[in-house]
């Protein structure tokens, strides 16, 4: 008998265009996991409405994000690709988990505090609850591993705590030797060091983000070559000659040199020695070229996919079916353990 492959689940919100941070910190790593793991990737559209959103764009942005997954190398033959809101178990498990998650666990989430500050008076309950929905996303699939960028580590810890302390400890069943049998799998984060934190082009000490009002701060995966070149040309620099890693006084040098290594496929050592005595004026065109070339095949395949919406929709329909089968089974297990009356009648 073959042992089942470890399960992976991850997702990105369909808000704004995906950028180099999303790619290098998250999606690029998903692609490599497809050969060795049972992979599930969702577009987390329910998360996208935790801050005010435009209903006229949500569906289109969801399709764009799904197409980008495929264009980046997610293969629907090997991975289950689906839309979160189309699998209703996500919302339902979220409610069940809400009722066992202490409020103060959520109030101390860094991302909530940062986003709440930006929202001012209009902070939704959904924004506070966001990490519980994320825990539901993960726990529904009994995921072993969750590949994300560094910024999601705290949310992963929360998902582990909910599974372990609030579900398994309270509602797991007793094994023959009196030991608690887990009801939900406790997931591990998978955070790769390189690319885990891509910083803004306009400020090397804050992360590249979809929500930065300055578009020059990020390169999106769909930026055309001339725009990429322009953004890199305008990127913040410092007065020092030569690029280097790890100098805390020079966050921009570290960030742009990291990007160069990652995007050109060079090792950090070889990028560092190539650029050690290079001025910014020589370095920037090199980085622009590496970026344009790294994104070119992905942009081409994205364009092909968007010309053929039927194929994309079929991938998502199939993904939804596969995801539902797994998610409904877990939900059923949790409902039973929590003691709900099982439905009866012809449709039950
Ligand atoms: P978000 O843009 O917040 O929807 O994030 C989607 C995924 O991209 C998550 O796994 C994040 O950890 C990752 N991510 C977002 N921004 C960055 C960044 N600047 N550097 C590295 N990873 C990132
Ligand atoms: N909160 C994640 C982010 O902003 C997105 C997300 C939602 C996610 N559900 C998930 C990531 C489940 C991994 C697993 O990046």
């Amino acid at each position: 008998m073959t042992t089942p492959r470890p399960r992976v689940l991850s997702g990105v919100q369909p808000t704004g265009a995906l950028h180099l941070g999303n790619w290098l910190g998250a999606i690029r790593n998903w692609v490599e996991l497809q050969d060795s793991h049972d992979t599930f990737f969702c577009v987390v559209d329910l998360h996208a409405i935790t801050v005010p959103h435009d209903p006229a764009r949500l569906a289109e942005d969801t399709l764009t994000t799904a197409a980008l997954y495929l264009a980046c190398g997610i293969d629907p033959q090997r991975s289950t690709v689906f839309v979160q809101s189309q699998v209703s178990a996500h919302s339902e498990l979220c409610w069940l988990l809400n009722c066992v998650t202490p409020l103060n666990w959520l109030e101390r989430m860094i991302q909530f505090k940062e986003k709440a500050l930006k929202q001012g008076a209009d902070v939704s309950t959904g924004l506070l609850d966001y990490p519980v929905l994320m825990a539901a996303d993960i726990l529904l699939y009994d995921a072993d591993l969750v590949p994300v960028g560094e910024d999601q580590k705290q949310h992963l810890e929360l998902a582990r705590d909910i599974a372990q302390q609030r579900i398994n400890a309270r509602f797991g069943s007793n094994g023959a030797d009196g030991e608690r049998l887990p009801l939900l799998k406790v997931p591990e984060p998978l955070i790769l060091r390189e690319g885990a934190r891509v910083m803004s082009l306009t400020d090397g000490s804050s992360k590249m983000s979809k929500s930065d009002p300055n578009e020059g701060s990020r390169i999106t995966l769909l930026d055309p070559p001339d725009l990429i070149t322009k953004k890199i040309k305008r990127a913040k620099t410092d007065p020092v000659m030569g690029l280097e890693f790890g100098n805390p006084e020079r966050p921009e040098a570290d960030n742009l040199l990291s990007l160069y290594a990652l995007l050109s496929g060079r090792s950090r050592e070889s990028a560092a020695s190539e650029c050690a005595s290079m001025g910014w004026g020589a370095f920037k065109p090199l980085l622009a070229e590496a970026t344009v070339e790294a994104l070119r095949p992905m942009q081409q395949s994205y364009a092909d996919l968007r010309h053929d919406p039927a194929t994309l929709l079929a991938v998502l329909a199939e993904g939804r079916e596969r995801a539902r089968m797994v998610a409904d089974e877990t939900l059923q297990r949790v409902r039973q353990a929590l003691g709900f009356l099982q439905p009866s009648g012809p449709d039950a």
Side-chain angles (χ1 to χ4, degrees):
M1 218 175 72
T2 52
T3 44
R5 297 193 294 177
R7 176 80 54 78
V8 160
L9 178 125
S10 197
V12 171
Q13 295 183 56
T15 37
L18 301 194
H19 52 67
L20 284 180
N22 299 130
W23 188 40
L24 298 172
I27 301 175
R28 189 183 53 131
N29 306 322
W30 304 357
V31 174
E32 283 163 27
L33 290 163
Q34 296 181 107
D35 287 327
S36 46
H37 291 71
D38 181 17
T39 40
F40 285 70
F41 301 115
C42 54
V43 180
V44 291
D45 54 347
L46 294 171
H47 279 99
I49 66 164
T50 55
V51 293
H53 81 288
D54 179 357
R57 292 198 45 180
L58 184 59
E60 197 55 25
D61 287 349
T62 300
L63 283 176
T64 300
T65 305
L68 278 171
Y69 285 6
L70 304 189
C72 288
I74 301 301
D75 169 10
Q77 302 293 332
R78 289 180 291 159
S79 291
T80 302
V81 180
F82 66 102
V83 176
Q84 180 193 34
S85 68
Q86 296 183 352
V87 179
S88 58
H90 290 247
S91 306
E92 197 172 339
L93 183 62
C94 178
W95 177 256
L96 304 182
L97 301 181
N98 275 338
C99 296
V100 295
T101 303
L103 186 56
N104 65 15
W105 287 11
L106 301 181
E107 285 167 340
R108 51 168 200 258
M109 293 290 115
I110 297 164
Q111 196 175 82
F112 171 70
K113 289 195 253 184
E114 285 174 359
K115 287 193 183 177
L117 217 60
K118 281 189 204 147
Q119 293 303 122
D122 195 13
V123 177
S124 73
T125 306
L127 189 65
L128 180 69
D129 202 29
Y130 175 119
V132 182
L133 178 59
M134 178 164 164
D137 298 342
I138 297 165
L139 300 176
L140 274 177
Y141 297 88
D142 286 325
D144 296 281
L145 279 183
V146 183
V148 282
E150 183 73 34
D151 59 327
Q152 295 300 312
K153 205 169 160 191
Q154 199 187 26
H155 291 162
L156 247 296
E157 283 300 320
L158 184 93
R160 289 170 54 84
D161 290 346
I162 294 175
Q164 220 156 15
Q165 300 173 26
R166 296 290 158 151
I167 296 289
N168 291 347
R170 293 184 179 181
F171 304 103
S173 51
N174 284 323
D177 49 6
E179 218 185 302
R180 275 316 224 186
L181 294 178
L183 189 59
L184 293 173
K185 174 84 145 241
V186 181
E188 300 282 343
L190 178 67
I191 299 170
L192 300 185
R193 204 175 62 85
E194 287 187 15
R197 231 172 125 72
V198 174
M199 309 310 280
S200 155
L201 295 185
T202 46
D203 172 9
S205 54
S206 67
K207 70 165 193 164
M208 185 176 284
S209 155
K210 286 172 186 163
S211 57
D212 191 322
N214 180 357
E215 296 206 356
S217 69
R218 61 185 164 267
I219 290 174
T220 84
L221 300 187
L222 297 175
D223 282 350
D226 53 341
L227 186 58
I228 292 174
T229 307
K230 194 161 99 187
K231 285 180 177 173
I232 290 179
K233 206 168 180 178
R234 294 192 180 154
K236 185 171 173 204
T237 59
D238 60 30
V240 183
M241 174 92 176
L243 278 288
E244 62 181 325
F245 285 123
N247 183 342
E249 311 277 292
R250 305 189 62 204
E252 286 78 22
D254 184 89
N255 186 42
L256 296 186
L257 189 56
S258 297
L259 282 179
Y260 178 61
L262 285 165
L263 294 167
S264 67
R266 282 170 174 67
S267 68
R268 286 170 72 85
E269 296 70 33
S270 107
S273 67
E274 183 186 352
C275 308
S277 50
M278 204 179 266
W280 287 102
F283 173 72
K284 281 185 162 182
L286 210 61
L287 174 60
E289 160 99 11
T291 310
V292 168
E293 288 313 315
L295 295 182
R296 190 189 300 281
M298 194 269 299
Q299 294 189 345
Q300 182 56 52
S301 119
Y302 174 83
D304 296 344
L305 278 160
R306 292 311 309 259
H307 277 116
D308 179 15
T311 301
L312 187 56
L313 290 172
V315 165
L316 294 176
E318 154 121 34
R320 183 184 66 206
E321 284 314 306
R322 294 215 295 253
R324 265 191 191 160
M325 284 203 317
V326 179
D328 286 349
E329 199 185 294
T330 311
L331 180 63
Q332 198 47 29
R333 214 161 70 213
V334 177
R335 285 175 59 110
Q336 227 156 24
L338 265 55
F340 286 99
L341 177 66
Q342 293 304 307
S344 55
D347 298 328

